[in-house]
């Protein structure tokens, strides 16, 4: 009886499975597939889009019916509290809702994968870990930027007819308007990055959302209750106040103040990203 043998060369070749090259482009494509298939992120995007457009519609309606509901209220009085360029001011009101929804979306982008175990599987496929989190941060930033831009443009287009009715016409090709719209998009994009970075450090959706929304919504209110010049200066260093400087008309505040606000907010974002990357490398998931 003869025993069949396998040559060492063929056996060695058979023992080595074919391996695909793990490139950042493939990691990014994987994150995009997850982003477009996980229901929580899709609902987050839909809510941000509907919420931004819906709030703009409510503001336009309120402006339109305000004087008719109160016969003593004039258009000048109605717009006196939001400045002489309401078309720019309403963007800031709308973005406050949009950036809260983008923050929640940034948290959900990674917290849902933690809960299901998909994030652990991703890190097994990407052992160095850094490309996986970098791809997720980049995707969150792009999503936040697009949502902020769409919300700002929708606000301008929806409220423009009502504002024009009261004599506050805003040229759509105005450079200052473009600066505010771009500033809104950059602001929400960086919020998305920061939110995902914070959520990668904690293990639950509630903790991630609580930290981010608390930092942007609750902490400023608490600091505002503290009297004194120091509290006022501290408030300007908070991420919400610094980021909202990007939505201020540059001809009113100057490029130096706008750049200062951007750099302060960017410092918060970079710090959160560096902390997330360091902890991802050092601790178990």
């Amino acid at each position: 009886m003869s025993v069949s043998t396998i040559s060492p060369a063929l056996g060695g070749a058979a023992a080595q499975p074919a391996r695909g090259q793990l490139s950042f482009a493939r990691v990014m494509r994987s994150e995009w597939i997850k982003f477009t298939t996980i229901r929580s992120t899709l609902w987050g995007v839909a809510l941000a889009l509907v919420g931004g457009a819906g709030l703009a519609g409510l503001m336009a309606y309120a402006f339109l019916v305000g004087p008719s509901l109160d016969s003593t209220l004039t258009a000048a009085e109605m717009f006196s509290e939001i400045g002489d360029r309401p078309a720019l001011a309403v963007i800031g009101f709308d973005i406050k809702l949009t950036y809260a929804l983008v923050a929640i979306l940034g948290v959900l982008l990674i917290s849902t994968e933690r809960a299901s175990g998909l994030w652990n599987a991703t890190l097994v496929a990407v052992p160095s870990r850094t490309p996986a989190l970098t791809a997720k941060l980049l995707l969150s930033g792009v999503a936040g930027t697009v949502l902020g831009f769409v919300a700002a443009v929708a606000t301008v287009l929806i409220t423009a007819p009502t504002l024009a009715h009261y004599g506050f016409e805003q040229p759509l090709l105005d450079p200052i308007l473009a600066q505010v719209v771009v500033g809104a998009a950059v602001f929400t994009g960086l919020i998305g990055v920061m939110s995902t970075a914070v959520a990668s450090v904690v293990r639950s959706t509630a903790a991630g959302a609580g930290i981010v929304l608390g930092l942007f919504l609750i902490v400023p209110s608490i600091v505002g209750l503290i009297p004194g010049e120091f509290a006022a200066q501290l408030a300007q260093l908070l991420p919400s106040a610094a980021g909202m400087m990007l939505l201020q008309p540059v001809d009113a505040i100057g490029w130096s103040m706008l750049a200062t606000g951007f750099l302060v907010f960017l410092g918060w974002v970079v710090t959160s990203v560096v902390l997330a990357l360091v902890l991802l490398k050092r601790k178990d998931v």
Side-chain angles (χ1 to χ4, degrees):
M1 180 181 295
S2 61
V3 180
S4 60
T5 60
I6 301 176
S7 65
L10 294 177
Q16 297 293 329
R19 295 183 179 179
Q21 183 180 1
L22 182 63
S23 63
F24 182 75
R26 292 190 174 187
V27 175
M28 194 70 210
R29 182 172 181 271
S30 173
E31 292 300 326
W32 172 252
I33 292 174
K34 289 188 289 184
F35 180 84
T36 55
T37 53
I38 296 178
R39 290 184 179 180
S40 60
T41 55
L42 294 179
W43 276 108
V45 170
L47 185 60
L49 292 173
V50 174
L55 181 58
L58 288 176
M59 287 190 291
Y61 178 76
F63 293 153
L64 188 62
V65 303
S68 62
L69 295 177
D70 185 354
S71 58
T72 63
L73 181 67
T74 64
E77 293 172 339
M78 183 171 60
F79 291 109
S80 62
E81 295 185 359
I82 60 176
D84 57 349
R85 287 185 288 185
L88 303 181
V90 293
I91 296 177
F93 288 117
D94 193 77
I95 289 299
K96 288 182 179 179
L97 172 64
T98 302
Y99 83 60
L101 297 175
V102 168
I104 295 175
L105 175 63
V107 171
L108 292 175
L109 199 61
I110 192 169
S111 63
T112 52
E113 293 188 25
R114 276 187 173 277
S116 65
L118 182 57
W119 182 238
N120 293 355
T122 299
L123 297 183
V124 170
V126 189
S128 61
R129 298 188 176 188
T130 299
L133 183 56
T134 302
K136 196 168 288 292
L137 293 172
L138 180 60
L139 183 59
S140 181
V142 171
T145 301
V146 172
L147 290 174
F149 180 81
V150 171
V153 172
T155 300
V156 172
L157 296 179
I158 292 173
T159 59
T162 302
L163 295 176
H165 173 73
Y166 290 108
F168 295 99
E169 295 185 7
Q170 175 65 55
L172 297 180
L173 299 180
D174 182 16
I176 300 299
L177 176 63
Q179 173 255 309
V180 173
V181 170
V182 171
V186 172
F187 180 40
T188 53
L190 291 177
I191 285 179
V193 174
M194 184 176 176
S195 302
T196 301
V198 171
S200 70
V201 176
V202 298
R203 293 183 178 272
S204 69
T205 302
I211 293 173
V212 174
L213 294 180
L215 187 60
F216 279 93
L217 301 177
I218 299 177
V219 173
S221 300
I222 296 176
V223 174
L225 298 176
I226 303 174
E229 184 66 23
F230 174 76
Q233 294 178 354
L234 179 62
Q236 297 301 316
L237 298 177
L238 294 176
S240 56
M244 287 298 290
M245 292 296 294
L246 297 174
L247 279 71
Q248 301 301 316
V250 69
D251 60 350
I253 65 172
W255 283 106
S256 60
M257 288 191 64
L258 190 148
T260 300
F262 172 72
L263 292 176
V264 170
F265 184 52
L266 185 63
W268 282 91
V269 177
V270 171
T271 300
S272 62
V273 169
V274 171
L275 180 62
L277 291 173
V278 170
L279 291 180
L280 183 67
K281 283 284 192 178
R282 292 187 176 182
K283 72 175 186 177
D284 295 333
V285 293

